[in-house]
Amino acid sequence: MNAHVQRLPVVVIYPHTRCNCRCTMCDIWKRDAAESIEPERFARYLDEFAGLGVEWIVFSGGEPLMHPQLDPLCSMAKARGLRVTILTTGLLLERHASWIVSGVDDVIVSLDGPPETHDRIRGVTGAFDALARGARALRERRPAYPISARCTVQKANCRLLGDTVSAAESVGLDAVSFLAADVSSDAFDHVPGGGTQLERRVALDASDIGALAAEVEALIWRGAAGAFVRESADKLRRIVRHFRATLGECEAVAPRCNAPWVSAVIETDGTVRPCFFHRPVGNIASECLSAVVNGPQAVAFRAGLDVASNDTCRKCVCSLYVEP
């Protein structure tokens, strides 16, 4: 692939630094400072996005809905004809439902299992009920509004995939997606080199993996894979293989992915990463996005990146592939 980016259809943005959950698999909530991308700076970003052919903005974080001006940011993006998605804990959906249904194309909520498990992993009492109220508030205003869930598979919920699907159905969501918990990178504010504590909290042992494999096969048998569950049977089984690889039971295999060539992750302070898991390649606080993604550091990174053999890619828990 060409080391230079010709087109960047997907941009993930962290508009706000803080989060309103205390999840076991993430350390973003431990941040002290609360910072946000102000509308003036976002307007400059949008000007730069136009030259790179950006089509889809995904607001992530942290919790995007904690941004005091996320509504106008979404409106600015929609005015440019961009697709806008919000990844959210769901705790603030009910409060913001009115403008979300008109200014955001779709919402993806974090769902960690049935109610008690979800609340325990989130570290927030009543988190599941708040998510359910938010989903209802969106649907009351727009019955066909697209709402799906994403579940991070870890020790506390690996035996509950079927129950997680049932929980998503009970809330009236359109679909649920599963991905393995990351225990090897410094993404999501994980402390570099601090993997032992993280692995103890969320990684699976051999007995957990057996239970997870049974849950996956049950979902496939009932026909949920590729239907209500977004992943195909093969992608669900890849989650099991990922955890087996962390225990040394099999080789880690990188997913099919071209994220560094077709997307960028922009953090609140302007730091730009080629994806969630690789190291930063620049900062758009001091130069434009095109200069960062096609700058010497980014070009050298892509030129030397072999996804199949790269250690970070082989341990990756997700993937993005956009057809050329």
Side-chain angles (χ1 to χ4, degrees):
M1 284 185 282
N2 193 329
H4 285 79
V5 167
Q6 307 298 322
R7 175 175 160 268
L8 200 72
V10 183
V11 172
V12 178
I13 299 177
Y14 299 166
H16 187 77
T17 56
R18 300 295 302 277
C19 189
N20 49 12
C21 286
R22 303 169 65 87
C23 299
T24 57
M25 63 287 191
C26 174
D27 293 316
I28 291 175
W29 57 270
K30 296 179 181 179
R31 293 176 179 174
D32 295 324
E35 299 175 5
S36 300
I37 297 175
E38 65 280 3
E40 295 77 14
R41 180 153 55 111
F42 188 64
R44 176 172 65 82
Y45 289 177
L46 290 174
D47 290 338
E48 297 172 8
F49 292 170
L52 287 166
V54 174
E55 301 171 5
W56 183 16
I57 291 178
V58 180
F59 286 114
S60 184
E63 172 49 58
L65 290 174
M66 291 179 72
H67 190 297
Q69 296 176 293
L70 190 64
D71 180 3
L73 264 57
C74 292
S75 296
M76 292 163 64
K78 290 299 296 176
R80 302 287 188 110
L82 301 177
R83 175 184 172 186
V84 176
T85 296
I86 292 179
L87 303 183
T88 175
T89 64
L91 298 183
L92 297 175
L93 276 179
E94 185 177 23
R95 182 187 305 176
H96 297 286
S98 294
W99 69 260
I100 287 175
V101 296
S102 60
V104 178
D105 290 281
D106 64 300
V107 164
I108 302 173
V109 296
S110 296
L111 178 65
D112 296 306
E116 289 184 6
T117 302
H118 178 79
D119 289 6
R120 184 168 64 254
I121 291 175
R122 292 274 125 188
V124 176
T125 301
F128 183 89
D129 289 341
L131 184 159
R133 290 195 305 272
R136 284 196 297 270
L138 294 173
R139 289 283 168 71
E140 286 169 359
R141 289 161 175 80
R142 190 171 147 194
Y145 187 77
I147 320 168
S148 60
R150 177 172 295 169
C151 177
T152 301
V153 179
Q154 56 168 294
K155 190 175 188 68
N157 62 15
C158 64
R159 301 168 185 265
L160 299 169
L161 268 60
D163 290 342
T164 302
V165 170
S166 297
E169 291 173 332
S170 73
V171 176
L173 304 185
D174 298 313
V176 63
S177 177
F178 292 99
L179 77 163
D182 170 56
V183 296
S184 62
S185 79
D186 63 355
F188 316 115
D189 279 24
H190 296 159
V191 178
T196 303
Q197 281 190 334
L198 181 66
E199 289 175 14
R200 192 176 298 122
R201 295 200 306 264
V202 304
L204 276 59
D205 60 29
S207 64
D208 293 326
I209 292 175
L212 172 63
E215 289 284 315
V216 163
E217 294 306 318
L219 288 179
I220 295 170
W221 180 82
R222 66 188 263 193
F228 189 80
V229 175
R230 287 269 166 87
E231 284 75 26
S232 65
D234 184 63
K235 286 188 175 181
L236 284 174
R237 288 172 176 142
R238 184 179 181 275
I239 296 173
V240 180
R241 290 196 298 271
H242 169 83
F243 284 114
R244 291 196 189 282
T246 64
L247 292 180
E249 295 181 1
C250 64
E251 284 291 320
V253 178
R256 186 189 190 201
C257 181
N258 62 355
W261 288 267
V262 298
S263 69
V265 176
I266 302 176
E267 299 178 7
T268 314
D269 65 355
T271 296
V272 179
R273 293 176 180 265
C275 72
F276 287 106
F277 304 103
H278 281 289
R279 295 187 180 280
V281 292
N283 191 298
I284 56 173
S286 55
E287 54 185 338
C288 67
L289 182 59
S290 60
V292 171
V293 298
N294 281 318
Q297 186 176 354
V299 170
F301 166 75
R302 287 188 295 270
L305 177 62
D306 176 46
V307 171
S309 62
N310 181 270
D311 190 55
T312 297
C313 295
R314 290 172 65 237
K315 295 177 180 177
C316 189
V317 298
C318 66
S319 66
L320 172 69
Y321 189 84
V322 177
E323 291 291 346

